Amino acid sequence: MSLEDIIKKHEKAIYTAAYAAGAAGIPGAFIPTLDITVVGGAWATMTVSIANKSGRKLDKDTAFKLCSTILAGGAAYIGGTKILTYLFHMIPGLGTMGAVGINSLLNFLYTFRMGRFIAMQMEKADFNTEDFASMIPEITAMVFAMPSMAEIRQTWTDYNDHKRY
């Protein structure tokens, strides 16, 4: 199955979680731990949904532990983006709008990356959900990689093109 087919199969779970994470970026630009908590819950729900649609068993508690561990692994990067967001707030008016926009867009992007990776793994015939534990460093590095301008533009396009979720 191609990457496009996998994303299409799981797009409802991925984009629903991505929009929830993006929306959490609005208050999260002001209260940093708030969006991280919401993102963890959205990721866990997305992961369980992808597992179910892929014919795999994964309970919500295990999925939440996996997602929490990945978020903890990305703490340095998340902390850096929170500092950047805080600095934007120091510019009256437009700075706050920029902080909210960046925070929301990054939450959306991180969630999309996470969903795409989880879906690709779940669709592999020989994949076992217990394999996730050994993949946490790889997942963390992939999810929290610095986005390129092209990826940011693509994320903005995805955000606008999938609003039905």
Side-chain angles (χ1 to χ4, degrees), residues 32 36 70-72 74-83 110 144:
I36 294 168
I70 293 166
L71 284 166
Y77 187 77
I78 293 169
T81 59
K82 294 302 177 190
I83 290 170
Y110 298 157
F144 296 109

Side-chain angles (χ1 to χ4, degrees), residues 58-105:
L58 185 66
D59 64 89
K60 181 121 181 172
D61 288 338
T62 303
F64 190 75
K65 287 176 190 171
L66 167 72
C67 297
S68 296
T69 303
I70 293 166
L71 284 166
Y77 187 77
I78 293 169
T81 59
K82 294 302 177 190
I83 290 170
L84 177 67
T85 302
Y86 175 76
L87 292 173
F88 267 101
H89 281 298
M90 294 182 155
I91 303 168
L94 289 177
T96 297
M97 290 173 45
V100 168
I102 288 169
N103 200 48
S104 295
L105 190 66

Side-chain angles (χ1 to χ4, degrees), residues 33-164:
T33 56
L34 177 69
D35 64 335
I36 294 168
T37 303
V38 173
V39 167
W43 284 8
T45 302
M46 172 182 68
T47 301
V48 169
S49 179
I50 290 169
N52 289 339
K53 196 159 189 172
S54 298
R56 304 200 185 268
K57 298 225 184 270
L58 185 66
D59 64 89
K60 181 121 181 172
D61 288 338
T62 303
F64 190 75
K65 287 176 190 171
L66 167 72
C67 297
S68 296
T69 303
I70 293 166
L71 284 166
Y77 187 77
I78 293 169
T81 59
K82 294 302 177 190
I83 290 170
L84 177 67
T85 302
Y86 175 76
L87 292 173
F88 267 101
H89 281 298
M90 294 182 155
I91 303 168
L94 289 177
T96 297
M97 290 173 45
V100 168
I102 288 169
N103 200 48
S104 295
L105 190 66
L106 288 175
N107 284 358
F108 186 93
L109 173 61
Y110 298 157
T111 304
F112 180 78
R113 285 176 175 172
M114 175 78 169
R116 180 179 58 196
F117 184 86
I118 296 292
M120 287 178 1
Q121 300 311 308
M122 296 276 192
E123 291 298 331
K124 291 179 180 176
D126 61 342
F127 183 75
N128 183 326
T129 55
E130 293 174 8
D131 295 341
F132 277 132
S134 65
M135 302 171 95
I136 288 173
E138 177 186 353
I139 297 169
T140 301
M142 181 271 313
V143 169
F144 296 109
M146 178 65 82
S148 66
M149 284 308 295
E151 188 176 26
I152 289 172
R153 280 192 294 275
Q154 183 59 50
T155 301
W156 182 249
T157 300
D158 285 346
Y159 172 84
N160 286 309
D161 289 350
H162 295 89
K163 287 185 177 180
R164 65 186 173 276

